[in-house]
Amino acid sequence: MEQPKQADPWAAVYRRFAATECPHDPLYVAICQAVADSPELLALMRHAPATQAKPNLLLAALHERVLAGAKHPLTDYFPSTAGERMPDAQLPELLLDFARSQSAELRMHLQSRSTQTNEIGRCAVLWPALQHIAHLTGRQDLALFDLGSSAGLNLGVDAYHYRYLQGEACFSLGADAQPERPTIDCRWLGEAAPPAASAWRLAQRLGADPCPVDVHDPHATRWLAACVWPHDQVRAQRLQQALQMARSADYAVRRATDCLDLLEEWLKTLPAQLQPVLFNSWVLAYFEADALADLRQRLARLQREHGLVWLSAEAPSLRPEGLALPALAGGASASTLWTLQWAAQDVTAQVALAWSHPHGAWVQWLGP
Ligand SMILES: C[S@@+](CC[C@H](N)C(=O)[O-])C[C@H]1O[C@@H](n2cnc3c(N)ncnc32)[C@H](O)[C@@H]1O
């Protein structure tokens, strides 16, 4: 085995990643440790631009090569391709050999890709949130604009089936369960009931992203799948189902450098009876402070001028200014806070609607 000649700062990053980001994933722990011990593998990080360089990116690049069907014994460790081998003493050597055999493709990914995901588990909260908005506004025909939509899979929120577990009880929302349709399981924490029934429908929908994923492009969608960790077969399967449904439905997703320009144009085209809803999930962290302040100002104006309702699912630090942090149910750890903003007379009304797991594995409904 090669020995590092001197400490590479990336080695510490990989060891920390193994300890804090993926401690429950034995394969990624073993790969991160093997990378940390190998100057040759650590050197791969030099190919990634500073803004993208992180262990996740190399892990996704390796996974993409496995999903692409590379023939190599390293693939035996990957559950995503039915591998059953547990990490063992041979893994570091096999990993190095695999990386050498795939070096051109790995370099290309590191130079050009980012760890982009599209998580439909969040629709387990988006669905009741839309129900709440229909109830709040008294309008059943909604028009959904997904800001930072990635592949636009959350635009299919009304086509998925949701199964909620509340204590010992279970209830369902959304479309009927069918074998080819994603079923999203979610624990409903706390005592609150789901929002009052309202027969809403999505009359229009549009996704916008500076870097959209084309659901018809097999390379782009394989990269999306590679960003899901190999042990997580539930997410992997529902991603494939959602991609298949999006290919048939052909939801409009537009590339836009400034998605708010596109939003403003879109709002002008909407029939008056539709209720426009702007949704973003795990997007605002990509905005610099100035751009975020500008976005908030522009959205406040669009709320006044177009009756836009803004549903935002982000880290709690990105909640609307002045909104108090709601209490979390016992046992849950703070992650995604769902907030709603709209223009009420001349002021902006804002409420916290829900806490949730970042991938929608649980929701704590707060909405009135
Ligand atoms: C973590 S992904 C979340 C994707 C999707 N919203 C979801 O919940 O699965 C972040 C997305 O934000 C997009 N993004 C980055 N900068 C953006 C910007 N300035 N405006 C809109 N979207 C942006 C990225 O391209 C990426 O698709």
Side-chain angles (χ1 to χ4, degrees):
M1 159 146 357
E2 344 154 53
Q3 291 300 321
K5 294 190 179 61
Q6 63 184 57
D8 180 322
W10 273 108
V13 175
Y14 272 89
R15 287 189 214 291
R16 201 163 47 244
F17 191 89
T20 60
E21 303 289 328
C22 60
H24 306 299
D25 187 325
L27 175 59
Y28 272 9
V29 166
I31 292 181
C32 286
Q33 282 165 351
V35 174
D37 286 340
S38 163
E40 186 174 332
L41 292 172
L42 288 173
L44 284 171
M45 296 312 291
R46 288 203 292 268
H47 297 290
T51 51
Q52 297 302 332
K54 48 194 171 186
N56 267 345
L57 186 65
L58 177 59
L59 291 167
L62 291 163
H63 191 197
E64 191 280 338
R65 291 290 76 217
V66 172
L67 295 179
K71 297 272 176 281
H72 190 280
L74 185 79
T75 63
D76 295 344
Y77 295 104
F78 281 74
S80 47
T81 48
E84 292 183 347
R85 184 168 173 180
M86 289 305 289
D88 53 24
Q90 260 195 308
L91 183 141
E93 195 182 311
L94 290 173
L95 176 65
L96 187 59
D97 188 63
F98 181 76
R100 284 175 180 161
S101 70
Q102 302 290 326
S103 66
E105 293 85 353
L106 289 177
R107 274 205 309 273
M108 190 190 69
H109 284 324
L110 292 168
Q111 282 159 0
S112 62
R113 298 276 190 189
S114 62
T115 50
Q116 190 172 16
T117 51
N118 197 181
E119 182 46 66
I120 65 158
R122 294 173 186 144
C123 289
V125 192
L126 177 57
W127 200 99
L130 292 174
Q131 169 125 311
H132 177 77
I133 290 169
H135 191 68
L136 176 82
T137 60
R139 288 171 158 194
Q140 299 194 325
D141 287 342
L142 307 181
L144 180 65
F145 187 98
D146 187 0
L147 171 83
S149 59
S150 190
L153 301 182
N154 289 335
L155 293 171
V157 55
D158 52 346
Y160 309 145
H161 178 68
Y162 307 98
R163 214 162 42 189
Y164 301 88
L165 202 63
Q166 187 178 27
E168 299 294 300
C170 183
F171 65 94
S172 297
L173 294 174
D176 293 341
Q178 281 181 16
E180 71 282 5
R181 175 173 278 169
T183 287
I184 298 169
D185 286 318
C186 175
R187 279 181 300 127
W188 189 277
L189 304 185
E191 300 302 316
S198 182
W200 58 273
R201 69 178 188 112
L202 287 186
Q204 286 209 29
R205 58 193 104 200
L206 179 64
D209 200 296
C211 197
V213 176
D214 178 356
V215 296
H216 300 284
D217 174 347
H219 296 285
T221 54
R222 191 163 68 221
W223 179 257
L224 205 57
C227 291
V228 174
W229 292 8
H231 75 271
D232 203 340
Q233 291 311 290
V234 171
R235 283 179 71 204
Q237 192 203 2
R238 71 188 186 201
L239 171 65
Q240 292 307 330
Q241 289 176 318
L243 282 168
Q244 191 51 42
M245 290 180 78
R247 283 183 204 111
S248 311
D250 225 4
Y251 304 125
V253 173
R254 303 259 301 272
R255 182 183 297 274
T257 314
D258 184 335
C259 297
L260 286 205
D261 282 350
L262 182 62
L263 170 66
E264 196 156 355
E265 286 310 307
W266 179 76
L267 287 170
K268 288 180 194 156
T269 68
L270 291 181
Q273 73 275 15
L274 300 194
Q275 173 57 53
V277 179
L278 167 67
F279 171 57
N280 50 271
S281 54
W282 286 92
V283 174
L284 299 189
Y286 291 81
F287 285 70
E288 301 289 341
D290 286 355
L292 188 57
D294 180 57
L295 172 126
R296 289 190 193 285
Q297 237 176 32
R298 289 170 76 187
L299 288 181
R301 178 173 61 75
L302 295 179
Q303 286 162 46
R304 285 193 307 274
E305 291 177 1
H306 295 274
L308 177 69
V309 171
W310 179 16
L311 173 64
S312 182
E314 301 287 342
S317 59
L318 292 167
R319 70 189 181 279
E321 270 170 34
L323 185 69
L325 268 190
L328 255 177
S333 53
S335 57
T336 306
L337 185 63
W338 294 66
T339 60
L340 206 57
Q341 288 179 265
W342 68 97
Q345 277 113 30
D346 275 342
V347 293
T348 299
Q350 53 190 37
V351 293
L353 261 196
W355 282 108
S356 81
H357 177 272
H359 301 154
W362 57 262
V363 57
Q364 179 193 348
W365 191 255
L366 309 160

